[in-house]
Amino acid sequence: QVQLVESGGGLVQAGGSLRLSCASSGSIAGYNVMAWYRQAPGNQRELVARISRDGITNYADSVQGRFTISRDNAKSTVYLQMNSLKPDDTAVYYCRAGSVYVTWGRGTQVTVSS
C-alpha cells in the first residue's frame, strides 16, 4: 500500500491560482483512479476531481472549467491545477488512490481570501 503526501496548499486571494501535488511512495500506474477530494469545516468530504488510468477526467460541477487534474505515472504524482479560486474553495484537500481499496493522504490546507 502506498503512502500519499499532498503539498502546494496555502493562502491565496480570490481569483488566484494554486497547484497541488500528490506524491506517492510507490507506483500509481496500477491505480485505475486517482482523485482529489476536499472537506470544508462542518461539511462532508466531497469529490473535486478524478482521473482514470487512461486519462479520463471528471469534475465536480463547482470546479468545472477552473480546476484541472493530471497524473504523471512516471513520477508517481497527481496534480490539481486550481485557477480562478473562490472563497468557497477553502478546504483541506485530500488525495486518494484507488476506487475499491483506497488510500488517503493527510491533506493540505487551501484558504482563499475575499
Side-chain angles (χ1 to χ4, degrees):
Q1 190 173 13
V2 300
Q3 292 185 333
L4 304 174
V5 179
E6 301 93 337
S7 62
L11 174 64
V12 64
Q13 288 187 333
S17 298
L18 285 173
R19 188 194 194 202
L20 305 184
S21 298
C22 170
S24 172
S25 62
S27 174
I28 63 170
Y31 288 100
N32 184 44
V33 177
M34 298 294 297
W36 285 96
Y37 283 72
R38 68 185 181 187
Q39 187 168 18
N43 290 357
Q44 290 186 336
R45 194 171 296 188
E46 63 176 1
L47 175 67
V48 175
R50 61 186 176 193
I51 183 167
S52 73
R53 186 187 295 123
D54 297 330
I56 298 172
T57 57
N58 297 98
Y59 298 92
D61 289 344
S62 58
V63 306
Q64 181 76 46
R66 300 188 297 122
F67 290 10
T68 302
I69 188 172
S70 60
R71 64 190 289 172
D72 186 335
N73 289 338
K75 295 183 178 180
S76 298
T77 302
V78 180
Y79 304 97
L80 185 68
Q81 178 66 45
M82 307 187 295
N83 299 328
S84 302
L85 283 162
K86 305 175 181 179
D88 285 349
D89 295 319
T90 295
V92 178
Y93 284 71
Y94 298 90
C95 179
R96 194 186 88 168
S99 57
V100 177
Y101 300 100
V102 301
T103 299
W104 291 94
R106 292 190 174 186
T108 184
Q109 175 71 46
V110 171
T111 302
V112 184
S113 63
S114 57

